[in-house]
Amino acid sequence: MAFFGKNYKKLSDEELMSLLIEREKQAFDELYIRYSKQMLNYFYRMLYFDKERAEDMLHDLFLKIIEKPYLFNTEKKFSTWIYTVAGNMLKNEFRDVQIHGNHEKAYGNEQETRIENEQKVDSKLFLASLNKELDKFDSELKQIFVLRYFDEMSIKEIAEIANCPEGTVKSRLFYMNKKLSVSLAAFR
Amino acid sequence: MKNFELDNFEKIELLLKSKSFDELSEAEREFVYKSISREEYENLFYFYQNINQAKTYTSIEPKMEIKSALDKQFENFKSSNSFFSRKLSIFKVAAVAAACFVLGFGISSIDNIAKDKPENLTDSIIHDTVQVIKYIQLPKQEFFAKVNVSNKPLSLDFPALPKNYYHEKDAILLASQTMKIYNSIKIKHYR
């Protein structure tokens, strides 16, 4: 219990952002504790399991939050906002990769060494195949899929991040899942 | 996608995440059949299982170096941060600068306009009128000597004052009455 100061752990994300606008370091630390792991894993999955690139992206994301915290509207939900910012960063990243080379060249070669646990060969193979299949969809569809099944977000939150109606999110997921479950049926 | 599937998407997903087709009750099977076949359900069930498993094995932890670098950047940013750059974006700073410029320009314009505004005009007319009335109250010869004009009588329609009566206060009062007349004429003119 904090007698002489704020208990940052009890504050909401939005309250922490208000304090960060006032340059309170502890507010930043608390937000980092809450979101660094999930954002790193989001980048990691979206960037074909390229750990180093995902770490760079995580650093850049939090640097944006340090430098421009006022861009966040404290009346809105922080979790949605941070994924929107991350999504925009990924779009730029994909655009650069498209300009400078294909995804496989940029990230694919490192994929094999990413998952270290040898006992999880099936999962490793499944993920490699899932990524190849997800590559057949555009990055927005992939984003929706990752947000739903890896980041466990609600349909409403995904709709806000992807900036489309909830019905569209559901129909896209339903369509993708049906296709993916058929193409990855060998992993049954 | 049918409306039924849209409405029940999350319900079907919940079943897919928790039960194989064989574990479904009769009612649940009936419900599932409205959207997908048994084969589709089983494909999706294993698909969800694989995702859950893969999710566990692909989770990574952020390195301490990232946080250390961010801490340094936070301190650097904080120390180099002025009052304006702290809270205001470049657009806001530009907007404030533009507002100051417009305000400054406005004040100088207002100052210029003030020289010609009716209040000032009225003051100067009163002042001039007071000077004229003072001369009226002077003996005729003295007045004509001062203004150096021909020996004609003045035909100004000011209210008559007692002979040789001279008091600046009364002159000002008289001038104010004159201004009222002047203003009423002006208002009529502009109407």
Side-chain angles (χ1 to χ4, degrees):
Chain A
M1 193 177 154
F3 286 100
F4 301 106
K6 300 174 193 93
N7 189 347
Y8 292 90
K9 293 211 178 300
K10 286 186 176 174
L11 297 176
S12 70
D13 297 341
E14 293 73 27
E15 286 168 328
L16 289 170
M17 274 307 282
S18 297
L19 293 172
L20 182 56
I21 292 168
E22 300 299 320
R23 297 275 140 223
E24 281 205 30
K25 177 70 168 52
Q26 291 96 321
F28 174 73
D29 293 341
E30 182 57 30
L31 281 170
Y32 188 83
I33 290 167
R34 288 184 197 179
Y35 283 93
S36 58
K37 191 180 172 184
Q38 73 184 76
M39 295 318 293
L40 176 67
N41 281 291
Y42 175 61
F43 286 129
Y44 183 52
R45 285 161 192 143
M46 289 296 288
L47 294 169
Y48 306 87
F49 302 98
D50 184 336
K51 196 179 172 191
E52 279 168 32
R53 192 72 201 105
E55 284 169 344
D56 286 347
M57 295 286 272
L58 178 75
H59 172 267
D60 293 351
L61 173 69
F62 276 93
L63 192 59
K64 270 184 208 281
I65 294 171
I66 290 173
E67 288 176 346
K68 294 171 182 176
Y70 50 78
L71 292 179
F72 171 66
N73 180 351
T74 47
E75 287 168 11
K76 295 199 171 175
K77 215 176 164 201
F78 178 77
S79 59
T80 311
W81 180 75
I82 196 170
Y83 272 96
T84 309
V85 175
N88 289 335
M89 287 171 70
L90 283 167
K91 274 180 201 167
N92 291 336
E93 176 71 13
F94 291 141
R95 204 174 298 139
D96 287 348
V97 170
Q98 268 176 358
I99 292 165
H100 301 297
N102 64 36
H103 294 164
E104 287 292 320
K105 259 188 189 171
Y107 310 109
N109 294 339
E110 304 198 23
Q111 195 170 288
E112 291 297 308
T113 56
R114 298 297 167 204
I115 306 159
E116 285 159 9
N117 194 339
E118 283 180 18
Q119 290 177 320
K120 315 301 174 194
V121 179
D122 284 349
S123 286
K124 183 180 166 184
L125 286 172
F126 173 79
L127 273 175
S129 306
L130 176 63
N131 264 315
K132 267 192 177 171
E133 291 300 319
L134 282 172
D135 257 0
K136 292 173 184 169
F137 301 100
D138 68 38
S139 63
E140 277 179 37
L141 288 175
K142 186 178 176 179
Q143 183 195 29
I144 288 174
F145 183 88
V146 170
L147 288 173
R148 180 67 177 168
Y149 299 112
F150 287 94
D151 292 283
E152 291 172 359
M153 287 200 147
S154 70
I155 299 289
K156 195 183 171 193
E157 285 172 317
I158 298 169
E160 274 180 51
I161 293 164
N163 197 24
C164 63
E166 288 180 38
T168 309
V169 174
K170 286 181 195 175
S171 61
R172 283 178 178 176
L173 285 171
F174 192 80
Y175 159 74
M176 285 177 86
N177 289 350
K178 262 185 155 182
K179 272 200 134 187
L180 289 169
S181 65
V182 172
S183 51
L184 298 170
F187 290 92
R188 274 177 62 166
Chain B
M1 196 177 178
K2 288 179 273 181
N3 279 342
F4 175 82
E5 288 157 355
L6 276 179
D7 295 341
N8 296 289
F9 177 82
E10 280 159 304
K11 220 172 171 181
I12 295 168
E13 229 184 29
L14 207 66
L15 290 173
L16 284 164
K17 281 178 183 172
S18 57
K19 290 179 180 181
S20 68
F21 192 83
D22 294 335
E23 290 169 322
L24 293 176
S25 67
E26 270 307 307
E28 285 169 338
R29 283 183 190 192
E30 283 299 309
F31 175 75
V32 164
Y33 278 139
K34 286 178 184 172
S35 303
I36 44 177
S37 66
R38 179 183 179 140
E39 198 190 349
E40 283 175 325
Y41 185 92
E42 283 175 343
N43 278 342
L44 283 164
F45 173 74
Y46 288 110
F47 178 64
Y48 277 72
Q49 296 274 93
N50 281 323
I51 289 174
N52 266 344
Q53 231 177 344
K55 189 164 63 183
T56 318
Y57 303 133
T58 56
S59 181
I60 53 170
E61 294 285 334
K63 280 198 282 188
M64 280 304 292
E65 286 91 330
I66 302 172
K67 183 67 170 63
S68 308
L70 287 166
D71 286 345
K72 270 186 193 167
Q73 277 157 323
F74 189 98
E75 290 310 320
N76 288 344
F77 192 72
K78 197 178 175 181
S79 58
S80 65
N81 215 4
S82 69
F83 174 77
F84 285 108
S85 59
R86 195 177 72 175
K87 283 185 178 177
L88 300 176
S89 67
I90 187 103
F91 300 108
K92 284 182 184 170
V93 172
V96 170
C100 288
F101 175 77
V102 169
L103 199 65
F105 182 76
I107 287 168
S108 74
S109 304
I110 287 165
D111 198 39
N112 287 337
I113 292 162
K115 287 171 187 167
D116 301 328
K117 68 183 180 180
E119 287 87 345
N120 286 356
L121 197 66
T122 308
D123 285 346
S124 73
I125 291 170
I126 289 176
H127 176 264
D128 293 348
T129 313
V130 167
Q131 298 311 310
V132 171
I133 292 164
K134 277 182 186 174
Y135 282 113
I136 293 167
Q137 299 308 312
L138 289 171
K140 238 181 200 174
Q141 290 76 13
E142 215 182 312
F143 174 71
F144 285 120
K146 281 204 178 218
V147 294
N148 198 21
V149 290
S150 61
N151 199 11
K152 280 184 181 174
L154 286 166
S155 59
L156 293 166
D157 291 333
F158 289 122
L161 286 170
K163 207 172 179 184
N164 296 327
Y165 181 86
Y166 171 72
H167 197 283
E168 193 167 11
K169 216 172 165 184
D170 292 311
I172 291 166
L173 187 71
L174 189 63
S176 301
Q177 286 171 342
T178 313
M179 275 313 300
K180 276 183 192 169
I181 297 162
Y182 164 77
N183 282 334
S184 67
I185 292 164
K186 197 169 72 174
I187 290 162
K188 275 178 195 167
H189 174 74
Y190 285 113
R191 272 181 189 163

PDB file of all heavy atoms in Angstrom, chain B residues 157-181:
ATOM      1  N   ASP B 157     -26.468  79.047 -33.639  1.00  0.00           N
ATOM      2  CA  ASP B 157     -27.735  78.860 -32.903  1.00  0.00           C
ATOM      3  C   ASP B 157     -27.521  78.230 -31.529  1.00  0.00           C
ATOM      4  O   ASP B 157     -28.148  77.249 -31.161  1.00  0.00           O
ATOM      5  CB  ASP B 157     -28.670  77.952 -33.721  1.00  0.00           C
ATOM      6  CG  ASP B 157     -29.129  78.668 -34.966  1.00  0.00           C
ATOM      7  OD1 ASP B 157     -29.165  79.908 -34.915  1.00  0.00           O
ATOM      8  OD2 ASP B 157     -29.421  77.986 -35.961  1.00  0.00           O
ATOM      9  N   PHE B 158     -26.612  78.747 -30.777  1.00  0.00           N
ATOM     10  CA  PHE B 158     -26.428  78.228 -29.429  1.00  0.00           C
ATOM     11  C   PHE B 158     -27.413  78.898 -28.493  1.00  0.00           C
ATOM     12  O   PHE B 158     -27.777  80.050 -28.698  1.00  0.00           O
ATOM     13  CB  PHE B 158     -25.003  78.504 -28.950  1.00  0.00           C
ATOM     14  CG  PHE B 158     -23.978  77.665 -29.656  1.00  0.00           C
ATOM     15  CD1 PHE B 158     -22.952  78.267 -30.351  1.00  0.00           C
ATOM     16  CD2 PHE B 158     -24.065  76.277 -29.650  1.00  0.00           C
ATOM     17  CE1 PHE B 158     -22.023  77.504 -31.014  1.00  0.00           C
ATOM     18  CE2 PHE B 158     -23.132  75.520 -30.296  1.00  0.00           C
ATOM     19  CZ  PHE B 158     -22.097  76.119 -30.996  1.00  0.00           C
ATOM     20  N   PRO B 159     -27.819  78.179 -27.434  1.00  0.00           N
ATOM     21  CA  PRO B 159     -28.709  78.830 -26.475  1.00  0.00           C
ATOM     22  C   PRO B 159     -28.037  80.068 -25.882  1.00  0.00           C
ATOM     23  O   PRO B 159     -26.833  80.048 -25.613  1.00  0.00           O
ATOM     24  CB  PRO B 159     -28.918  77.765 -25.395  1.00  0.00           C
ATOM     25  CG  PRO B 159     -28.534  76.478 -26.025  1.00  0.00           C
ATOM     26  CD  PRO B 159     -27.520  76.801 -27.063  1.00  0.00           C
ATOM     27  N   ALA B 160     -28.856  81.072 -25.683  1.00  0.00           N
ATOM     28  CA  ALA B 160     -28.297  82.347 -25.214  1.00  0.00           C
ATOM     29  C   ALA B 160     -27.900  82.263 -23.749  1.00  0.00           C
ATOM     30  O   ALA B 160     -28.574  81.622 -22.946  1.00  0.00           O
ATOM     31  CB  ALA B 160     -29.334  83.442 -25.399  1.00  0.00           C
ATOM     32  N   LEU B 161     -26.780  82.824 -23.428  1.00  0.00           N
ATOM     33  CA  LEU B 161     -26.310  82.871 -22.040  1.00  0.00           C
ATOM     34  C   LEU B 161     -26.390  84.308 -21.545  1.00  0.00           C
ATOM     35  O   LEU B 161     -26.405  85.232 -22.351  1.00  0.00           O
ATOM     36  CB  LEU B 161     -24.855  82.408 -21.985  1.00  0.00           C
ATOM     37  CG  LEU B 161     -24.596  80.913 -22.166  1.00  0.00           C
ATOM     38  CD1 LEU B 161     -23.096  80.672 -22.340  1.00  0.00           C
ATOM     39  CD2 LEU B 161     -25.119  80.101 -20.992  1.00  0.00           C
ATOM     40  N   PRO B 162     -26.499  84.484 -20.244  1.00  0.00           N
ATOM     41  CA  PRO B 162     -26.528  85.868 -19.745  1.00  0.00           C
ATOM     42  C   PRO B 162     -25.310  86.640 -20.221  1.00  0.00           C
ATOM     43  O   PRO B 162     -24.238  86.054 -20.394  1.00  0.00           O
ATOM     44  CB  PRO B 162     -26.473  85.685 -18.223  1.00  0.00           C
ATOM     45  CG  PRO B 162     -26.867  84.306 -17.974  1.00  0.00           C
ATOM     46  CD  PRO B 162     -26.502  83.509 -19.190  1.00  0.00           C
ATOM     47  N   LYS B 163     -25.515  87.919 -20.435  1.00  0.00           N
ATOM     48  CA  LYS B 163     -24.454  88.767 -20.993  1.00  0.00           C
ATOM     49  C   LYS B 163     -23.215  88.740 -20.096  1.00  0.00           C
ATOM     50  O   LYS B 163     -23.344  88.772 -18.875  1.00  0.00           O
ATOM     51  CB  LYS B 163     -24.971  90.217 -21.124  1.00  0.00           C
ATOM     52  CG  LYS B 163     -24.282  90.967 -22.208  1.00  0.00           C
ATOM     53  CD  LYS B 163     -24.969  92.304 -22.422  1.00  0.00           C
ATOM     54  CE  LYS B 163     -24.210  93.049 -23.533  1.00  0.00           C
ATOM     55  NZ  LYS B 163     -24.805  94.380 -23.685  1.00  0.00           N
ATOM     56  N   ASN B 164     -22.069  88.687 -20.707  1.00  0.00           N
ATOM     57  CA  ASN B 164     -20.776  88.657 -20.030  1.00  0.00           C
ATOM     58  C   ASN B 164     -20.597  87.454 -19.081  1.00  0.00           C
ATOM     59  O   ASN B 164     -19.734  87.441 -18.231  1.00  0.00           O
ATOM     60  CB  ASN B 164     -20.507  89.942 -19.241  1.00  0.00           C
ATOM     61  CG  ASN B 164     -20.405  91.122 -20.187  1.00  0.00           C
ATOM     62  OD1 ASN B 164     -19.928  90.958 -21.325  1.00  0.00           O
ATOM     63  ND2 ASN B 164     -20.872  92.262 -19.731  1.00  0.00           N
ATOM     64  N   TYR B 165     -21.507  86.489 -19.200  1.00  0.00           N
ATOM     65  CA  TYR B 165     -21.383  85.306 -18.342  1.00  0.00           C
ATOM     66  C   TYR B 165     -20.355  84.370 -18.956  1.00  0.00           C
ATOM     67  O   TYR B 165     -20.421  84.011 -20.126  1.00  0.00           O
ATOM     68  CB  TYR B 165     -22.738  84.613 -18.229  1.00  0.00           C
ATOM     69  CG  TYR B 165     -22.702  83.391 -17.324  1.00  0.00           C
ATOM     70  CD1 TYR B 165     -22.879  83.554 -15.939  1.00  0.00           C
ATOM     71  CD2 TYR B 165     -22.492  82.117 -17.840  1.00  0.00           C
ATOM     72  CE1 TYR B 165     -22.846  82.453 -15.115  1.00  0.00           C
ATOM     73  CE2 TYR B 165     -22.463  81.008 -17.010  1.00  0.00           C
ATOM     74  CZ  TYR B 165     -22.632  81.180 -15.636  1.00  0.00           C
ATOM     75  OH  TYR B 165     -22.613  80.096 -14.827  1.00  0.00           O
ATOM     76  N   TYR B 166     -19.412  84.011 -18.158  1.00  0.00           N
ATOM     77  CA  TYR B 166     -18.398  83.109 -18.682  1.00  0.00           C
ATOM     78  C   TYR B 166     -18.019  82.081 -17.613  1.00  0.00           C
ATOM     79  O   TYR B 166     -17.583  82.438 -16.523  1.00  0.00           O
ATOM     80  CB  TYR B 166     -17.146  83.884 -19.117  1.00  0.00           C
ATOM     81  CG  TYR B 166     -16.007  82.966 -19.467  1.00  0.00           C
ATOM     82  CD1 TYR B 166     -16.027  82.212 -20.629  1.00  0.00           C
ATOM     83  CD2 TYR B 166     -14.927  82.823 -18.586  1.00  0.00           C
ATOM     84  CE1 TYR B 166     -15.005  81.358 -20.932  1.00  0.00           C
ATOM     85  CE2 TYR B 166     -13.889  81.971 -18.894  1.00  0.00           C
ATOM     86  CZ  TYR B 166     -13.918  81.236 -20.055  1.00  0.00           C
ATOM     87  OH  TYR B 166     -12.905  80.392 -20.349  1.00  0.00           O
ATOM     88  N   HIS B 167     -18.272  80.831 -17.953  1.00  0.00           N
ATOM     89  CA  HIS B 167     -17.855  79.762 -17.051  1.00  0.00           C
ATOM     90  C   HIS B 167     -17.610  78.510 -17.881  1.00  0.00           C
ATOM     91  O   HIS B 167     -18.466  78.061 -18.634  1.00  0.00           O
ATOM     92  CB  HIS B 167     -18.950  79.510 -15.994  1.00  0.00           C
ATOM     93  CG  HIS B 167     -18.424  78.738 -14.832  1.00  0.00           C
ATOM     94  ND1 HIS B 167     -18.211  77.407 -14.902  1.00  0.00           N
ATOM     95  CD2 HIS B 167     -18.053  79.126 -13.578  1.00  0.00           C
ATOM     96  CE1 HIS B 167     -17.738  76.978 -13.737  1.00  0.00           C
ATOM     97  NE2 HIS B 167     -17.628  78.016 -12.904  1.00  0.00           N
ATOM     98  N   GLU B 168     -16.455  77.972 -17.731  1.00  0.00           N
ATOM     99  CA  GLU B 168     -16.072  76.836 -18.583  1.00  0.00           C
ATOM    100  C   GLU B 168     -17.014  75.637 -18.425  1.00  0.00           C
ATOM    101  O   GLU B 168     -17.342  74.946 -19.373  1.00  0.00           O
ATOM    102  CB  GLU B 168     -14.641  76.407 -18.270  1.00  0.00           C
ATOM    103  CG  GLU B 168     -14.105  75.463 -19.333  1.00  0.00           C
ATOM    104  CD  GLU B 168     -12.599  75.258 -19.247  1.00  0.00           C
ATOM    105  OE1 GLU B 168     -11.978  75.677 -18.246  1.00  0.00           O
ATOM    106  OE2 GLU B 168     -12.062  74.673 -20.194  1.00  0.00           O
ATOM    107  N   LYS B 169     -17.472  75.407 -17.177  1.00  0.00           N
ATOM    108  CA  LYS B 169     -18.363  74.286 -16.893  1.00  0.00           C
ATOM    109  C   LYS B 169     -19.648  74.384 -17.731  1.00  0.00           C
ATOM    110  O   LYS B 169     -20.115  73.423 -18.333  1.00  0.00           O
ATOM    111  CB  LYS B 169     -18.718  74.298 -15.410  1.00  0.00           C
ATOM    112  CG  LYS B 169     -18.839  72.911 -14.812  1.00  0.00           C
ATOM    113  CD  LYS B 169     -19.000  73.082 -13.314  1.00  0.00           C
ATOM    114  CE  LYS B 169     -19.486  71.807 -12.696  1.00  0.00           C
ATOM    115  NZ  LYS B 169     -19.722  71.997 -11.268  1.00  0.00           N
ATOM    116  N   ASP B 170     -20.194  75.595 -17.746  1.00  0.00           N
ATOM    117  CA  ASP B 170     -21.421  75.829 -18.523  1.00  0.00           C
ATOM    118  C   ASP B 170     -21.164  75.680 -20.014  1.00  0.00           C
ATOM    119  O   ASP B 170     -22.013  75.177 -20.758  1.00  0.00           O
ATOM    120  CB  ASP B 170     -21.985  77.218 -18.228  1.00  0.00           C
ATOM    121  CG  ASP B 170     -22.493  77.301 -16.798  1.00  0.00           C
ATOM    122  OD1 ASP B 170     -23.247  76.373 -16.410  1.00  0.00           O
ATOM    123  OD2 ASP B 170     -22.100  78.226 -16.082  1.00  0.00           O
ATOM    124  N   ALA B 171     -19.992  76.097 -20.411  1.00  0.00           N
ATOM    125  CA  ALA B 171     -19.624  75.984 -21.827  1.00  0.00           C
ATOM    126  C   ALA B 171     -19.598  74.522 -22.239  1.00  0.00           C
ATOM    127  O   ALA B 171     -20.076  74.134 -23.305  1.00  0.00           O
ATOM    128  CB  ALA B 171     -18.266  76.628 -22.070  1.00  0.00           C
ATOM    129  N   ILE B 172     -19.049  73.672 -21.327  1.00  0.00           N
ATOM    130  CA  ILE B 172     -18.986  72.232 -21.621  1.00  0.00           C
ATOM    131  C   ILE B 172     -20.395  71.644 -21.719  1.00  0.00           C
ATOM    132  O   ILE B 172     -20.720  70.871 -22.611  1.00  0.00           O
ATOM    133  CB  ILE B 172     -18.150  71.490 -20.542  1.00  0.00           C
ATOM    134  CG1 ILE B 172     -16.671  71.908 -20.675  1.00  0.00           C
ATOM    135  CG2 ILE B 172     -18.296  69.972 -20.665  1.00  0.00           C
ATOM    136  CD1 ILE B 172     -15.811  71.526 -19.496  1.00  0.00           C
ATOM    137  N   LEU B 173     -21.279  72.087 -20.775  1.00  0.00           N
ATOM    138  CA  LEU B 173     -22.666  71.617 -20.777  1.00  0.00           C
ATOM    139  C   LEU B 173     -23.346  71.995 -22.088  1.00  0.00           C
ATOM    140  O   LEU B 173     -24.040  71.178 -22.717  1.00  0.00           O
ATOM    141  CB  LEU B 173     -23.412  72.240 -19.584  1.00  0.00           C
ATOM    142  CG  LEU B 173     -24.810  71.715 -19.345  1.00  0.00           C
ATOM    143  CD1 LEU B 173     -24.748  70.283 -18.812  1.00  0.00           C
ATOM    144  CD2 LEU B 173     -25.544  72.597 -18.350  1.00  0.00           C
ATOM    145  N   LEU B 174     -23.113  73.189 -22.487  1.00  0.00           N
ATOM    146  CA  LEU B 174     -23.696  73.692 -23.729  1.00  0.00           C
ATOM    147  C   LEU B 174     -23.181  72.886 -24.927  1.00  0.00           C
ATOM    148  O   LEU B 174     -23.944  72.497 -25.810  1.00  0.00           O
ATOM    149  CB  LEU B 174     -23.319  75.177 -23.886  1.00  0.00           C
ATOM    150  CG  LEU B 174     -24.009  75.933 -25.010  1.00  0.00           C
ATOM    151  CD1 LEU B 174     -25.523  75.977 -24.767  1.00  0.00           C
ATOM    152  CD2 LEU B 174     -23.470  77.354 -25.104  1.00  0.00           C
ATOM    153  N   ALA B 175     -21.876  72.619 -24.885  1.00  0.00           N
ATOM    154  CA  ALA B 175     -21.284  71.844 -25.977  1.00  0.00           C
ATOM    155  C   ALA B 175     -21.881  70.444 -26.029  1.00  0.00           C
ATOM    156  O   ALA B 175     -22.130  69.898 -27.105  1.00  0.00           O
ATOM    157  CB  ALA B 175     -19.780  71.762 -25.776  1.00  0.00           C
ATOM    158  N   SER B 176     -22.129  69.816 -24.854  1.00  0.00           N
ATOM    159  CA  SER B 176     -22.727  68.476 -24.810  1.00  0.00           C
ATOM    160  C   SER B 176     -24.103  68.473 -25.433  1.00  0.00           C
ATOM    161  O   SER B 176     -24.474  67.552 -26.169  1.00  0.00           O
ATOM    162  CB  SER B 176     -22.840  67.995 -23.362  1.00  0.00           C
ATOM    163  OG  SER B 176     -21.568  67.972 -22.804  1.00  0.00           O
ATOM    164  N   GLN B 177     -24.875  69.530 -25.116  1.00  0.00           N
ATOM    165  CA  GLN B 177     -26.219  69.637 -25.715  1.00  0.00           C
ATOM    166  C   GLN B 177     -26.106  69.752 -27.234  1.00  0.00           C
ATOM    167  O   GLN B 177     -26.871  69.134 -27.981  1.00  0.00           O
ATOM    168  CB  GLN B 177     -26.957  70.855 -25.131  1.00  0.00           C
ATOM    169  CG  GLN B 177     -27.427  70.606 -23.720  1.00  0.00           C
ATOM    170  CD  GLN B 177     -27.963  71.873 -23.055  1.00  0.00           C
ATOM    171  OE1 GLN B 177     -27.689  72.990 -23.510  1.00  0.00           O
ATOM    172  NE2 GLN B 177     -28.725  71.688 -21.992  1.00  0.00           N
ATOM    173  N   THR B 178     -25.106  70.494 -27.662  1.00  0.00           N
ATOM    174  CA  THR B 178     -24.866  70.640 -29.102  1.00  0.00           C
ATOM    175  C   THR B 178     -24.566  69.285 -29.719  1.00  0.00           C
ATOM    176  O   THR B 178     -25.037  68.941 -30.805  1.00  0.00           O
ATOM    177  CB  THR B 178     -23.675  71.595 -29.348  1.00  0.00           C
ATOM    178  OG1 THR B 178     -23.859  72.740 -28.540  1.00  0.00           O
ATOM    179  CG2 THR B 178     -23.587  71.988 -30.799  1.00  0.00           C
ATOM    180  N   MET B 179     -23.771  68.490 -28.996  1.00  0.00           N
ATOM    181  CA  MET B 179     -23.400  67.177 -29.509  1.00  0.00           C
ATOM    182  C   MET B 179     -24.604  66.254 -29.639  1.00  0.00           C
ATOM    183  O   MET B 179     -24.692  65.443 -30.545  1.00  0.00           O
ATOM    184  CB  MET B 179     -22.357  66.515 -28.593  1.00  0.00           C
ATOM    185  CG  MET B 179     -20.950  66.937 -28.906  1.00  0.00           C
ATOM    186  SD  MET B 179     -20.555  66.893 -30.664  1.00  0.00           S
ATOM    187  CE  MET B 179     -20.837  65.190 -31.040  1.00  0.00           C
ATOM    188  N   LYS B 180     -25.528  66.395 -28.680  1.00  0.00           N
ATOM    189  CA  LYS B 180     -26.756  65.582 -28.749  1.00  0.00           C
ATOM    190  C   LYS B 180     -27.496  65.887 -30.039  1.00  0.00           C
ATOM    191  O   LYS B 180     -27.976  64.991 -30.732  1.00  0.00           O
ATOM    192  CB  LYS B 180     -27.653  65.877 -27.538  1.00  0.00           C
ATOM    193  CG  LYS B 180     -27.253  65.074 -26.316  1.00  0.00           C
ATOM    194  CD  LYS B 180     -28.232  65.369 -25.179  1.00  0.00           C
ATOM    195  CE  LYS B 180     -27.693  64.812 -23.866  1.00  0.00           C
ATOM    196  NZ  LYS B 180     -28.476  65.315 -22.732  1.00  0.00           N
ATOM    197  N   ILE B 181     -27.585  67.170 -30.323  1.00  0.00           N
ATOM    198  CA  ILE B 181     -28.246  67.588 -31.577  1.00  0.00           C
ATOM    199  C   ILE B 181     -27.493  67.006 -32.772  1.00  0.00           C
ATOM    200  O   ILE B 181     -28.075  66.416 -33.678  1.00  0.00           O
ATOM    201  CB  ILE B 181     -28.305  69.139 -31.666  1.00  0.00           C
ATOM    202  CG1 ILE B 181     -29.160  69.682 -30.518  1.00  0.00           C
ATOM    203  CG2 ILE B 181     -28.875  69.585 -33.015  1.00  0.00           C
ATOM    204  CD1 ILE B 181     -28.951  71.165 -30.241  1.00  0.00           C
TER     205      ILE B 181
END
